[in-house]
Amino acid sequence: MPEFEVEVDPNHEHLAEICLMYWSTTDDGAFTHTVKHLADLFGEPSHRISKIVSKACFARSLQRCCSGCERGFIYRSRAQWTSGTRYTPGRCESCIQGERRRLAEARERADAELVAAIRRRHQVRDDESSIRAEDLDMPAAFALAALLEDAEEVTEGITTPVVARDDQLSPSLNMTRR
């Protein structure tokens, strides 16, 4: 039984024969043709054969499959396949990327929910009037003082202006400045 299913790029159909020969295997899993044999047969230097094949096609393993989507792993060169023999990954690159994307979307949803919860709990003033100390109750004044206090640069009670700070004090930069 062959180890690979070879898919040739339509733009490189003229290289289909070298691709099929490069990836053909015997019943015991060994490659049928050596790279040197292919180089002599097609009149190319040995070091270019893998580059030519990797640009023209890819091989999908019929034996080694992704634990996520159950499709065969894709290889562009024999060296990649050989390293895959020693370090067989559990999932393919598209499944890994899909999981990363899902995690990033979940993080964004959680951040959006946090912003919404903060906005529900604390009123945000949309007018450009500045907050006066007299308008604050004691807990709000202490919370504001704790937020604005910069432990590294407190000198004589003077803090760094909000517009000059790098760290965010609220969910958005616009809200921090307000």
Side-chain angles (χ1 to χ4, degrees):
M1 182 171 154
E3 170 69 31
F4 304 103
E5 176 183 88
V6 179
E7 294 185 33
V8 180
D9 184 347
N11 297 331
H12 295 93
E13 284 293 329
H14 62 286
L15 299 172
E17 184 179 5
I18 192 171
C19 291
L20 292 172
M21 291 176 75
Y22 180 86
W23 288 109
S24 69
T25 56
T26 60
D27 290 335
D28 64 350
F31 289 107
T32 308
H33 305 283
T34 65
V35 173
K36 180 164 179 17
H37 173 75
L38 293 173
D40 294 340
L41 191 63
F42 289 96
E44 291 286 341
S46 294
H47 68 276
R48 291 207 51 225
I49 296 296
S50 292
K51 291 178 185 174
I52 291 169
V53 171
S54 68
K55 287 181 183 176
C57 70
F58 64 85
R60 184 179 303 278
S61 176
L62 300 174
Q63 307 297 320
R64 298 181 198 145
C65 298
C66 170
S67 61
C69 64
E70 297 182 4
R71 295 188 72 204
F73 288 112
I74 294 175
Y75 301 100
R76 292 264 180 206
S77 69
R78 289 181 180 178
Q80 196 178 35
W81 180 80
T82 304
S83 69
T85 302
R86 290 181 290 215
Y87 310 108
T88 305
R91 295 178 303 157
C92 65
E93 192 61 34
S94 61
C95 286
I96 292 169
Q97 290 296 330
E99 182 179 359
R100 284 182 187 150
R101 193 172 35 259
R102 283 189 299 277
L103 289 173
E105 289 169 359
R107 238 185 336 270
E108 287 175 14
R109 279 194 304 275
D111 289 347
E113 288 173 14
L114 179 62
V115 168
I118 290 170
R119 287 189 175 163
R120 279 192 305 271
R121 176 130 173 118
H122 303 287
Q123 182 182 8
V124 177
R125 291 186 182 201
D126 288 330
D127 61 353
E128 294 298 321
S129 63
S130 57
I131 298 172
R132 298 176 45 88
E134 297 85 34
D135 298 338
L136 300 175
D137 59 0
M138 194 58 74
F142 280 123
L144 185 60
L147 281 173
L148 294 177
E149 182 179 331
D150 191 348
E152 297 166 359
E153 297 188 24
V154 172
T155 44
E156 300 176 15
I158 300 171
T159 61
T160 308
V162 173
V163 291
R165 293 177 63 104
D166 293 332
D167 55 335
Q168 277 189 237
L169 304 175
S170 67
S172 73
L173 186 59
N174 214 11
M175 287 176 71
T176 298
R177 287 192 178 136
R178 275 194 222 149

